[in-house]
Amino acid sequence: MLYFDHNATSPLLPVARAAWLEATDQFPGNPSSQHRLGARADRALEDARQRLATILGCAAPDLVWTSGATESCNAVLCHAAATADAAGGAAARVCVSALEHPAVRESAARAFGGRVDLIPATRDGTADLGWLADHLGRARPALVALMAANNETGVLQPWREAQAMCTARGVPFFCDATQWCGRLPAAGLGGCDFMAGSAHKFGGPRGLGFLKVPAAVAFTPWLVGGKQEAQRRAGTENVPAAVAAVAALAWCEEQIAAGGAEARMAVRTRFEQQLAAALPGLRINGTVTPPPGGPARLWNTVSVIVPDAGDAADCRVRWVVKLDKAGFAVSTGSACASGSEAPSPVLTAMGLTAAEAARALRFSAGWLTPESAWDELAAALINLHRELAPR
Ligand code: PLP
């Protein structure tokens, strides 16, 4: 099976597996325990925290281990609402990009009720910064949330500019960097006020996430109970998973530093050109002109609208099932939305119609995806298009 669903979850990297096995053997203790085995586990955990902080560009005490990005996002939105309430701002609003993952959108809706303002998206799939500038000129939200890279389209978001705008106005900024980490340099993400990541998206183990929240912030924990994580997240830490996550991220950063992202971008571009040439009517979502000196989309992600084959029903599933039979694991978009009949809020926010969004497929690769796999996928898509075309 050729796996093209890394944005849903990326298989454990060999380096992470080795680190996990070693840490499981070497650090059996609970990092909060008083004995030497506990102290050793605590040292390993703190060492992993320091290594992660160095990669992200923040201080180690600013990082909190969580169970994944969903928990990190829930925690940030819950904290923002609690802080606003405590300051007497029961009417405080939150500003969230329309392109956010449900982990952010739904958390915002729950924590702030109807007091959520959506930053609209452009047709190219980026958050509209002009709108945000305008909004911040008139309002003072409790938090602004903008992801780093979109999980469905791979489109990179102007998170640095949004952070700068928020800093200038004294508004806290949250960046969900779940799809960015491990694919593009993570340096600088630690400069966001709040930031979330998840190990299983970059070849670390599932069930391990992290959250950057400045140590100086009086954080309202989402999970309460024990006093772990400086009382910012209760629950016994998963030491082997943290060690393995950092091993995976450090390995990804090495690939990036060695020019791996540019090389894979070229492969992906060739794949897109093959499809465009053979499948008239196919559309690639988020085809923006790259900004000078940087890519516009993640090198690993291609989101397409397959040509209209005249079927009224949702045809994505047909393509996914047929590709599965042909040996390719691909996705219709967000893994969290599969099973849902509703069109993707991300694609509709970009101005696509429900009918267009119903023809969306997402292909997402990993560092170990061979170049030949993209060629094989292109050939399979072209065959399938011929098979499904109206006669
Ligand atoms: N944020 C983004 C952008 C994602 O892509 C995902 C997962 O798809 C999440 C958050 C949730 O991550 P997790 O599975 O670690 O809870």
Side-chain angles (χ1 to χ4, degrees):
M1 197 80 176
L2 292 176
Y3 187 71
F4 277 94
D5 203 12
H6 285 256
N7 287 9
T9 194
S10 196
L12 198 63
L13 285 167
V15 70
R17 184 174 181 276
W20 190 88
L21 287 170
E22 195 185 329
T24 298
D25 285 344
Q26 286 195 357
F27 310 117
N30 184 323
S32 299
S33 295
Q34 306 300 313
H35 43 68
R36 273 179 295 158
L37 286 182
R40 277 180 59 187
D42 187 50
R43 267 199 302 279
L45 189 69
E46 293 314 312
D47 178 52
R49 198 189 310 273
Q50 182 57 63
R51 288 185 70 199
L52 179 59
T54 303
I55 292 171
L56 297 173
C58 61
D62 293 346
L63 293 175
V64 176
W65 301 112
T66 66
S67 65
T70 299
E71 182 192 324
S72 301
C73 296
N74 271 269
V76 172
L77 271 301
C78 161
H79 161 77
T83 308
D85 281 355
R93 301 180 71 84
V94 67
C95 190
V96 165
S97 112
L99 300 163
E100 295 304 293
H101 188 273
V104 172
R105 282 201 322 269
E106 303 276 324
S107 302
R110 189 173 65 174
F112 285 85
R115 293 172 284 122
V116 180
D117 295 308
L118 286 183
I119 308 171
T122 65
R123 198 157 172 91
D124 285 337
T126 50
D128 186 343
L129 276 193
W131 183 95
L132 181 61
D134 213 44
H135 185 71
L136 291 178
R138 286 180 279 109
R140 198 170 185 288
L143 184 81
V144 168
L146 174 60
M147 67 197 334
N150 185 264
N151 48 301
E152 291 186 41
T153 62
V155 174
L156 309 186
Q157 302 299 317
W159 57 270
R160 292 184 189 84
E161 293 83 345
Q163 163 73 69
M165 283 163 67
C166 289
T167 303
R169 289 163 181 84
V171 171
F173 176 73
F174 169 47
C175 184
D176 172 7
T178 303
Q179 297 289 351
W180 178 295
C181 289
R183 305 206 169 107
L184 290 173
L189 282 166
C192 298
D193 299 316
F194 299 93
M195 175 251 157
S198 181
H200 76 105
K201 302 293 186 182
F202 54 76
R206 282 163 216 181
L208 192 286
F210 47 90
L211 168 63
K212 187 250 164 163
V213 38
V217 163
F219 190 64
T220 307
W222 195 53
L223 292 181
V224 293
K227 301 202 183 313
Q228 293 92 348
E229 299 296 294
Q231 301 194 45
R232 291 180 296 170
R233 196 273 188 183
T236 303
E237 293 97 340
N238 188 340
V239 177
V243 170
V246 173
L249 188 57
W251 184 88
C252 294
E253 290 282 333
E254 281 169 24
Q255 310 310 305
I256 298 165
E262 287 78 11
R264 280 161 186 79
M265 187 83 77
V267 174
R268 193 205 64 182
T269 303
R270 193 160 54 90
F271 168 79
E272 292 178 350
Q273 286 165 348
Q274 281 171 304
L275 290 192
L279 274 63
L282 173 125
R283 206 160 86 209
I284 295 166
N285 294 314
T287 39
V288 276
T289 315
R297 273 183 295 138
L298 291 173
W299 53 263
N300 81 318
T301 308
V302 180
S303 163
V304 300
I305 305 299
V306 294
D308 190 354
D311 32 3
D314 186 333
C315 73
R316 296 174 294 182
V317 179
R318 213 139 58 90
W319 280 75
V320 170
V321 170
K322 282 190 178 284
L323 283 166
D324 183 281
K325 284 199 181 123
F328 300 89
V330 309
S331 155
T332 55
S334 164
C336 310
S338 50
S340 146
E341 295 291 311
S344 148
V346 168
L347 297 180
T348 47
M350 289 166 62
L352 274 73
T353 63
E356 288 168 331
R359 303 200 310 275
L361 291 180
R362 179 186 70 185
F363 316 116
S364 52
W367 286 110
L368 302 178
T369 306
E371 191 173 334
S372 58
W374 283 107
D375 291 336
E376 288 181 47
L377 178 61
L381 287 164
I382 293 164
N383 275 340
L384 196 51
H385 177 243
R386 267 192 222 115
E387 188 189 314
L388 294 174
R391 289 169 208 283

